[in-house]
Amino acid sequence: PAGAAGGIQEELPLHIAEPSPDILRTLTDEQRQAVEHGDGPLLVIAGAGTGKTHVITARIVHLIRSGAAKPHEILALTFTEKAAATMQERVDLSTPIGQNDAAIRTFHAFGDDAFREFALELGRAGELRVLSPAEQVIFVRENLYELPLRRYRPAADPLRHVRALLDLFARARDDDISPEQYLTFARGLRAVVASADDPAAAADEADGQEELAAVYAAYDELKRKKGVIDFGDQIALTLELLRDRPAAARRLQARYRYVLVDEFQDTNEAQFDLVRRLVEPHRNITVVGDDDQSIFGWRGATLGNFDAFIAAYSDHRVITLVENRRSPQGLLDAAYRLIQNDRERLETKLGVSKRLQGR
C-alpha cells in the first residue's frame, strides 16, 4: 500500500517456502520402529510420558511423506477434541499444504459423520439432533409416562432416577448390548425361574430386568420417533452400519486404508468392534495405549480390548516405549514397584519390559 506521506510504496518480504519442523527427526529408536512399521496390525505399549500422541502423529506424517497412503486414506481416532486438535496441528505443521487432510477425529465425531452420511441406509431421514447429557435428562422427564415404568417409576427425586436410567442405557451401549439383546437376556432369566434354588427371588430379578429391558427399548424407539439421538448412538449406529449394511460398510472400509487409535486403554467394547470391522479388508490397524494408565472403567473402558486385539490379530507386532521424558527416575521406579502388584498386566502376558527409563 502507498505510504501516508509521499506516496512511497513499501514492499514487505514474503517467506513462502519456510521449512516445516521435522517431526520424524527427534524420534527415539523405539518410536521410529513404530512410526515406520509397514502394513498389518501393530500394538504400541506406551508408558506414561513416552510420547503416545507424538508417535501416532509422526506415523501419520510418515505414511503421507513415504507415499504409503494419501492423506484422506488415513483415519486417527482419539477421545477428546483437544487431543484431536493437537494431533491435527502437528500434522499440519509437518506436511505441505494440500497434504494434511487426514481424518483426525474423536470416536463420537467419526461416528456422527459416518451415520449421517449413510442415514438413509439406516432408515433415518432428515437432520438428527444429538442430545447433550442435560438434554437427555429433560427428554426422558418430558416423556416419562410414555415409558413402561412400574416398579422403577420414581416416587421422589425424578432427576436422580432419570439419570440412573440413562447411565444404565449408556453402559449397555458401551458394552455393545442392543435393546433386543437386553430383552433376550431378560427373557432368559424368566425361563429359568421355575428351576431356581429360590424361585421367588429369581422371579423378582426377572421382573426387574424385564422392565428395564422394556424401558431401554421404549427409550430407543422414542428417540427414533422424535428424530433425536444420544452420544452412545453415534457409535451404535455406525456399528450397525458396518454390521448390517454391506455396501455402505465396503465404502467406509475402502476409504480408510490405515486406522490409528490413540489411548487404546480407554476404548469400550463397541468402539473396538467398530474399529475391527472398519479395517477388515486390509487389517492396517495401529493401537497405542498402556494398560497401567486405564482409569475409565467406570464409563465403559475395558482392558479386555487388549486381549481382544491379540486374539483378533495373531500376526500383530508389539513395540514397547519405555523412555520417559516427564519424571525423575526415582519416581518411575517407585511407580513400577507399586504397579507390579497387578498380576494381570501386559508386561506379564506378553513377556515384555515396561520399566520406564527417565531421560
Side-chain angles (χ1 to χ4, degrees):
I8 299 174
Q9 184 170 344
E10 180 182 0
E11 293 186 3
L12 299 177
L14 181 61
H15 300 289
I16 296 177
E18 292 186 357
S20 60
D22 189 356
I23 195 173
L24 305 179
R25 183 175 55 83
T26 59
L27 297 172
T28 66
D29 290 341
E30 292 79 10
Q31 287 176 334
R32 186 171 296 279
Q33 290 177 38
V35 167
E36 296 180 351
H37 170 75
D39 291 349
L42 171 65
L43 169 60
V44 180
I45 304 172
T50 59
K52 286 191 293 292
T53 302
H54 185 72
V55 163
I56 284 191
T57 308
R59 179 156 170 76
I60 294 172
V61 172
H62 173 72
L63 288 170
I64 295 171
R65 287 188 185 178
S66 67
K70 297 181 175 63
H72 62 268
E73 295 175 324
I74 301 169
L75 171 65
L77 296 169
T78 187
F79 282 89
T80 67
E81 294 288 352
K82 181 179 179 180
T86 298
M87 291 168 63
Q88 185 68 67
E89 181 181 4
R90 293 179 184 178
V91 171
D92 289 348
L93 290 172
S94 302
T95 52
I97 295 175
Q99 293 188 22
N100 50 18
D101 58 339
I104 301 175
R105 304 279 191 273
T106 65
F107 270 97
H108 289 91
F110 169 72
D112 194 74
D113 290 344
F115 86 75
R116 288 183 189 279
E117 180 180 350
F118 298 98
L120 292 178
E121 283 86 344
L122 290 166
R124 304 290 182 109
E127 286 294 322
L128 296 173
R129 185 166 65 91
V130 181
L131 299 174
S132 69
E135 289 172 327
Q136 277 184 274
V137 173
I138 295 170
F139 177 77
V140 172
R141 286 187 63 181
E142 289 177 344
N143 297 279
L144 195 61
Y145 291 97
E146 295 188 45
L147 301 176
L149 289 164
R150 298 181 307 278
R151 66 190 286 166
Y152 291 116
R153 184 177 296 280
D157 196 2
L159 185 62
R160 182 178 179 184
H161 189 89
V162 167
R163 282 178 173 158
L165 287 173
L166 289 171
D167 286 345
L168 174 67
F169 303 154
R171 188 57 183 265
R173 286 295 197 198
D174 289 344
D175 290 342
D176 194 20
I177 300 171
S178 68
E180 295 75 21
Q181 289 171 313
Y182 201 161
L183 286 167
T184 299
F185 164 75
R187 293 187 189 111
L189 292 179
R190 175 66 63 191
V192 299
V193 166
S195 60
D197 293 336
D198 187 342
D204 187 54
E205 175 69 13
D207 285 343
Q209 292 299 327
E210 283 176 339
E211 180 170 326
L212 290 172
V215 173
Y216 183 25
Y219 169 66
D220 203 54
E221 182 59 30
L222 194 60
K223 288 185 295 178
R224 183 184 292 269
K225 287 198 305 185
K226 301 287 186 178
V228 298
I229 61 172
D230 59 30
F231 287 120
D233 291 327
Q234 292 176 314
I235 302 299
L237 289 173
T238 305
L239 193 47
E240 179 183 334
L241 185 77
L242 290 167
R243 283 173 173 161
D244 303 333
R245 302 292 187 273
R250 182 61 62 182
R251 287 170 59 186
L252 273 179
Q253 291 166 339
R255 181 177 303 168
Y256 300 113
R257 293 182 48 239
Y258 290 87
V259 177
L260 306 93
V261 182
D262 193 16
E263 304 290 1
F264 187 64
Q265 75 277 355
D266 295 337
T267 55
N268 58 45
E269 290 187 25
Q271 289 164 338
F272 177 60
D273 197 23
L274 185 156
V275 172
R276 184 180 62 81
R277 292 176 182 274
L278 189 60
V279 304
E280 273 184 358
H282 51 73
R283 303 169 77 254
N284 291 329
I285 176 173
T286 297
V287 300
V288 183
D290 180 20
D291 56 325
D292 292 340
Q293 297 182 64
S294 178
I295 60 172
F296 291 114
W298 55 272
R299 72 177 187 192
T302 173
L303 288 178
N305 280 347
F306 283 104
D307 295 331
F309 179 92
I310 292 167
Y313 306 109
S314 59
D315 58 337
H316 68 277
R317 181 183 181 188
V318 177
I319 295 175
T320 307
L321 307 183
V322 294
E323 187 169 306
N324 176 286
R325 302 293 185 90
R326 185 185 299 164
S327 306
Q329 191 64 48
L331 180 60
L332 298 175
D333 290 342
Y336 185 72
R337 287 194 298 271
L338 178 63
I339 201 65
Q340 282 187 307
N341 290 303
D342 179 3
R343 302 300 181 187
E344 297 297 320
R345 299 170 61 238
L346 288 175
E347 184 173 44
T348 302
K349 291 180 180 179
L350 298 179
V352 297
S353 174
K354 294 179 58 183
R355 184 165 196 144
L356 298 180
Q357 302 298 319
R359 294 289 186 270

